[in-house]
Amino acid sequence: MNEKTHCGYIAIVGRPNVGKSTLLNCILGRKISITSPKPQTTRNQILGIKTQDSAQAVYIDTPGLHEAGQRAMNRYMNRLASSVIMDADVVVFMIEASRWTGEDDAVLNKLQGTKAPVILVINKVDTLKDKGQLLPLMNKLSEKFSFECIVPVSARKADNITYLEDIIAKLLPQGPHLFPEEQVTDKSIRFQVSEIIREKLIQETEQEVPYSTMVEIESYKENEKLVEINAIIWVEREGQKPIVIGQGGERLKKIGTQARKEIEKIVNQKVFLRLWVKVKDGWTDDERVFRSLDFE
Ligand code: GDP
Ligand code: MG
């Protein structure tokens, strides 16, 4: 093959909750980044890789950029997101169709000085009652920054996403592919499993347990018949334990069942999942502990 190949990193940035992870999952046709209506669900940087013909697009789903926070984890997330912007070949800056906030301004400020082309993606256009609002909105936004282009989409409904992908493909620099063609993510199966459990946990406990909850895969054993997984849900305070476990263990059982079904889909095998809930005091304010628990 002497065909010229293209390959590049695409940073997906934007304030929490605009739909960055949903976009990535939509592009890859598979859930690799968990989503939820709660901000800051995406805690780690996640690579999503898509190879089509001679072009390989390596997407980076970033934890939401936001104003510098007090807590160590927030600082850590901000650092991550900024370095991602510097290294990207293309930046996808995502906002919501319905509103522009101060946090959007903060993200845009971080984009000043980037050499990479910035595509403004206006997400959730499905929520607009009047589609006639879109054109004036695009005109107004085009004055804020010299965007490469502005693309309205609905990540949830997969609306206009292939068009966006085509634009991105044309902006990728020439170069060899960095990953095998069939690879979809840089994350290990253990990481993906922990993220699925965390997603179900967030969905089931809603506002009662903060986003700082951590899931650790204690063991992952595979044989011909099934995959046996032991996972620990680390909560911040003793009082959160009964919330996660629920009346007579009902809630933990539900979390486990939902997670198991989804894990079975990615490993293509029967899964036996055991969940434990343990208390880790004050880890969110201690970056060292945060990193040591980060078993990537
Ligand atoms: P992130 O924090 O930017 O990664 O946002 P998520 O991908 O986790 O999405 C946040 C919320 O917005 C979730 O509840 C998604 O289902 C929802 N969402 C994402 N894209 C769309 C969209 O195109 N339309 C609508 N109506 N909701 C969306
Ligand atoms: Mg996300």
Side-chain angles (χ1 to χ4, degrees), residues 12-25 33-42 61-64 94 96 122-128 153-159 161 199:
I12 308 174
V13 301
R15 69 173 157 82
N17 229 26
V18 290
K20 300 179 294 296
S21 300
T22 307
L23 173 73
L24 185 59
N25 292 336
S33 192
I34 65 172
T35 65
S36 92
K38 283 190 203 175
Q40 300 178 1
T41 302
T42 311
D61 183 16
T62 58
M94 185 178 257
E96 265 175 6
I122 306 177
N123 190 29
K124 310 194 187 181
V125 292
D126 57 292
T127 61
L128 285 182
V153 305
S154 169
R156 188 187 272 178
K157 302 229 153 100
D159 215 359
I161 302 298
E199 180 182 68

Side-chain angles (χ1 to χ4, degrees), residues 232-251:
I232 304 169
I233 296 172
W234 289 103
V235 293
E236 276 189 301
R237 282 184 301 279
E238 194 63 45
Q240 291 167 344
K241 243 166 116 172
I243 298 172
V244 174
I245 294 166
Q247 283 272 324
E250 273 306 304
R251 191 176 262 165

Side-chain angles (χ1 to χ4, degrees), residues 92-147:
V92 166
F93 170 35
M94 185 178 257
I95 61 160
E96 265 175 6
S98 56
R99 64 206 176 109
W100 177 278
T101 73
E103 282 183 313
D104 293 316
D105 276 315
V107 180
L108 190 60
N109 275 339
K110 291 226 178 199
L111 298 180
Q112 304 293 347
T114 14
K115 289 193 196 73
V118 177
I119 302 172
L120 177 66
V121 170
I122 306 177
N123 190 29
K124 310 194 187 181
V125 292
D126 57 292
T127 61
L128 285 182
K129 284 189 195 81
D130 174 17
K131 293 281 183 292
Q133 293 172 291
L134 211 49
L135 212 56
L137 178 68
M138 287 167 73
N139 280 331
K140 212 173 97 209
L141 292 170
S142 68
E143 289 164 15
K144 284 187 183 280
F145 188 87
S146 58
F147 295 112

